[in-house]
Amino acid sequence: MTSEPLRILAIHAHPDDETLYTGGTLAFYAQGGADVSVLTCTLGEEGEVIGDKYAKLVAADGGADQLGGYRIHELTNALAALGAGEPQFLGGAGCYRDSGMLGTAANEHPRAFLKADAETVAEQMACWIRRIRPHAVLVYDEGGTYGHPDHVKAHKCGVRAVELAADHADPNDDVIGSSGVALSSHIEEGSSLQIAPAWDTPRVYCIMQSERRLAAGLDAIADHIPEAWKLPSTAELFCTADDDTTAVVELDEPAYLSKLAALRAHATQATVHVPEDGPVSFALSNNIAQPLLHTEEFRLIRNSH
Ligand SMILES: [Zn+2]
């Protein structure tokens, strides 16, 4: 037996997703001594900003298009709260841009993540996997939680990246990916990153949210949300069939408080409500209330050992 710590890598499309979907799990394992890290694919430039203070950072309506840079700051603070290290961006910060929801103008931006060559993206992710050598990789579900095209792409490319990283046919420095691009060409210049040998990630988990637990959470917050917020049905939120969940992480108080702190760090994206006599809820810019649950759920989709 070795004493090396467990390593967990979460692959996410936008700053805040690491907290919303996996924050409690990352904090829980980090607090237990694991090395947890997050790879973020875009800067979340198309996020809808809450409040006036930073509203003009967005690209739309002649705004400054600096929301992405600002969100690096939010992500940095969120990751610190989770114990998940420094931000790490696929291809370097700014390589890919938030594609926005399907059908929006942001889909056509030259750097839109949606438009990037999927195999190249997977190879870039594979470089990170070989470097980090995670025992578990966390990705969105196939449907990209609520269907954001960047989430769907991050799922597809993340799953492919695990395969590429494990490909023992090209284990060394001059590794050539299947699209003919040398994996090493994607490593950030000037960094100490080296192409590592192939790494067969033992386990890959997709993010789940059982309808049963979500419904119970919504019931619990119903009488404790701010007046301006709307209580949704489970159908209006990301949720999955109860039976699809194969792993549940029960957040203890320290992990839960870390997730809460991380969510507060994403203040342009989420507002947190902590009532004196009821459970914690939060809302994005749409003012739709969501429970901040004490569980995070996953589905094991790869178990190579
Ligand atoms: Zn997202």
Side-chain angles (χ1 to χ4, degrees), residues 2 11 18 21-22 36 48 63-64 73 80 86 111 114 119 141 143 147 164 174 182 191 194 215 227 240 253 261:
T2 67
I11 299 176
E18 81 292 333
Y21 299 116
T22 58
V36 304
E48 288 177 25
H73 157 74
E86 293 282 312
R111 287 186 293 107
L114 182 59
E119 195 66 4
D141 66 316
L164 287 175
D174 49 354
S191 77
Q194 302 287 332
E227 247 176 56
T240 50
E253 203 58 14

Side-chain angles (χ1 to χ4, degrees), residues 13-14 16-17 140 146 151:
H14 313 114
D16 78 5
D17 290 328
Y140 303 97
Y146 60 93
H151 294 194

Side-chain angles (χ1 to χ4, degrees), residues 2 7 21 63 95 174 182 192 205 221 250 275 277 280 289 292 297:
T2 67
R7 294 183 297 274
Y21 299 116
C95 179
D174 49 354
S192 61
Y205 293 92
I221 64 170
E250 305 266 359
D277 58 345
V280 177
L292 193 71
E297 300 176 47

